[in-house]
Amino acid sequence: MNKKIKILQIGPYPPPGTGWSIRIKMLKKYIERAGHACVVMNTNKNRKVASGEFVPVLGAGDYCKKVVRYCAQGYLVHMHLNGKSTKSPILALIAETVSLLFGRRAVLTFHAGVKQDFFPKQNKFWLDSTFRLIFLLAKKIVCNNEEVKALIAAYGIKPEKIIPIPAFCLEYLEDQAELPRTLADFIRNHHPALCSYIYVRHDFNLDFVFAAMQRVLAHWPRLGIVWMGADRESQVLQQKLREHGLEQCSYIAGDLDHGDFLAVLEASAAYVRTPVVDGVSSSVLEALMLGATVVASENGSRPEGVLTYEDGNIASFAETLLQISLSKNGKPALDKTALARKWNVRDTLREEIDLLCRVAK
């Protein structure tokens, strides 16, 4: 009989359903399905909410106390972080240090792509030294792709302990729900209907996106756009849409559950992905697997078939978006297994869980 393991995941848990929060949720689900124990310490916006799905984090002292408690109980720390947060590196160093005090090195999953605010090396001693220490302390490091692996290795980290495992697999599509009625009505009454996942942050480059959408609207007067995410920023988003003349063709959906998010992807003519820092984006792969055309900023990691534009180039964005098909015949039935082979979609949940099991034993 296989030994049962105990995993302490530390990172953001939905809502909102960002790429890495969904990954944490999926890992928890499949770790437990395999008969192991998994606790999530939630560092997301909803971290203080009482929930049976995660352990709340009430502050710095509470975070340290709970990491100590679970390490003392034999849990393996599985830390999730990226290179564009000032908080997650500090939390990672605390968790790794506590784990070492209990005689075990943590596993890291380093999310996002090759160009982030504080990653790769910045030629700033304090910053580069912090990330180097985080990577050195880890037993194993999971990352987005081979390109990110090479950049982590450039900190002086042994390549053999860095494992590229993209944060997507077919099991993600199990969450799909029925399209909410108000969204279904909006999509039915607009042609074409697009969707995009955004936040009011610099990496989503919204002023550029909205200016480009103005140009597209001149060609498609019945255009509709579903904006997902930005739940706590809806008033700011609405104001920006009004300033760019896009309010009437927009639906601000907020932070949808993952199942509703997938339903919107499938119902839309195209999914627009604006950040360049995201590497191999799980939402891009989800859209492709559901038959939506994907229009995305070029970042060197987009899968075959994605229509890409040059970030910041309004003409490039508009011309690329205008290439999508406007057929009303509906989407053909999709062979998801064949599509998974086409885009080299692996059983990455099993890969990551197997890695955790090997380290934990």
Side-chain angles (χ1 to χ4, degrees):
M1 182 176 178
N2 292 332
K3 179 183 176 182
K4 302 305 179 184
I5 63 170
K6 295 190 286 188
I7 303 297
L8 173 65
Q9 291 195 82
I10 302 175
Y13 194 89
T18 60
W20 52 326
S21 68
I22 294 298
R23 184 65 175 187
I24 292 171
K25 179 182 177 180
M26 295 295 291
L27 281 168
K28 175 177 170 59
K29 176 180 177 180
Y30 278 86
I31 288 170
E32 292 176 339
R33 184 174 291 185
H36 306 299
C38 183
V39 170
V40 176
M41 281 181 56
N42 185 14
T43 62
N44 212 345
K45 296 175 181 177
N46 60 331
R47 61 186 175 272
K48 296 185 179 181
V49 176
S51 171
E53 295 185 57
F54 58 79
V55 173
V57 175
L58 306 179
D62 185 61
Y63 174 81
C64 295
K65 180 176 68 175
K66 286 174 177 173
V67 174
V68 169
R69 179 200 305 166
Y70 285 106
C71 285
Q73 293 174 6
Y75 280 78
L76 171 70
V77 170
H78 181 198
M79 185 74 209
H80 297 259
L81 74 158
N82 63 15
K84 57 181 181 179
S85 165
T86 56
K87 179 177 69 175
S88 61
I90 297 170
L91 298 180
L93 282 173
I94 293 170
E96 287 181 307
T97 301
V98 172
S99 185
L100 277 175
L101 291 174
F102 285 90
R104 178 180 264 173
R105 295 167 70 190
V107 173
L108 298 181
T109 291
F110 189 75
H111 294 269
V114 298
K115 187 178 180 182
Q116 304 180 46
D117 290 350
F118 309 120
F119 175 89
K121 294 179 74 173
Q122 307 283 304
N123 294 320
K124 296 177 180 177
F125 177 78
W126 65 271
L127 186 59
D128 294 345
S129 297
T130 298
F131 276 98
R132 173 175 161 77
L133 181 58
I134 289 170
F135 295 142
L136 281 171
L137 290 176
K139 178 72 173 180
K140 294 290 183 181
I141 303 166
V142 175
C143 67
N144 195 272
N145 54 33
E146 291 288 347
E147 290 75 19
V148 175
K149 174 179 177 175
L151 292 172
I152 294 174
Y155 286 82
I157 308 304
K158 294 179 180 179
E160 56 266 28
K161 86 172 193 178
I162 311 167
I163 301 95
I165 304 178
F168 175 75
C169 60
L170 280 175
E171 285 80 2
Y172 277 48
L173 304 181
E174 293 175 358
D175 278 350
Q176 187 173 353
E178 184 177 347
L179 188 67
R181 179 175 295 179
T182 54
L183 278 167
D185 290 342
F186 178 84
I187 290 172
R188 184 172 57 253
N189 292 328
H190 291 81
H191 183 68
L194 315 177
C195 66
S196 186
Y197 186 86
I198 61 168
Y199 276 95
V200 184
R201 295 201 311 251
H202 69 91
D203 47 320
F204 285 86
N205 209 351
L206 292 188
D207 287 332
F208 151 71
V209 173
F210 294 158
M213 284 293 187
Q214 282 180 301
R215 186 171 298 193
V216 172
L217 183 60
H219 292 269
W220 292 337
R222 293 187 57 207
L223 173 69
I225 314 159
V226 178
W227 304 103
M228 300 176 286
D231 192 47
R232 299 186 182 185
E233 305 155 321
S234 59
Q235 290 185 342
V236 176
L237 177 58
Q238 192 167 35
Q239 178 62 31
K240 284 181 172 291
L241 290 169
R242 187 179 300 117
E243 291 170 358
H244 287 86
L246 297 172
E247 187 178 26
Q248 296 305 312
C249 67
S250 293
Y251 185 108
I252 300 176
D255 289 320
L256 299 176
D257 288 340
H258 187 225
D260 291 339
F261 174 79
L262 294 176
V264 173
L265 289 182
E266 185 174 50
S268 301
Y271 173 58
V272 179
R273 180 67 182 173
T274 63
V276 296
V277 302
D278 53 353
V280 180
S281 166
S282 58
S283 63
V284 165
L285 290 168
E286 286 171 331
L288 291 171
M289 296 294 292
L290 292 169
T293 299
V294 177
V295 175
S297 57
E298 180 55 72
N299 69 357
S301 300
R302 302 303 184 194
E304 177 188 351
V306 172
L307 302 178
T308 60
Y309 63 88
E310 179 186 350
D311 184 48
N313 186 326
I314 291 175
S316 173
F317 180 101
E319 290 165 8
T320 303
L321 196 54
L322 290 169
Q323 294 177 33
I324 72 169
S325 171
L326 299 184
S327 172
K328 291 187 177 182
N329 296 329
K331 296 173 184 176
L334 299 174
D335 182 344
K336 291 184 173 60
T337 302
L339 291 176
R341 287 196 298 269
K342 176 180 178 180
W343 286 300
N344 192 31
V345 174
R346 316 191 311 255
D347 188 354
T348 61
L349 282 171
R350 175 174 293 184
E351 290 178 28
E352 196 158 355
I353 292 169
D354 285 349
L355 171 65
L356 292 169
C357 287
R358 290 194 301 272
V359 174
K361 289 178 179 178

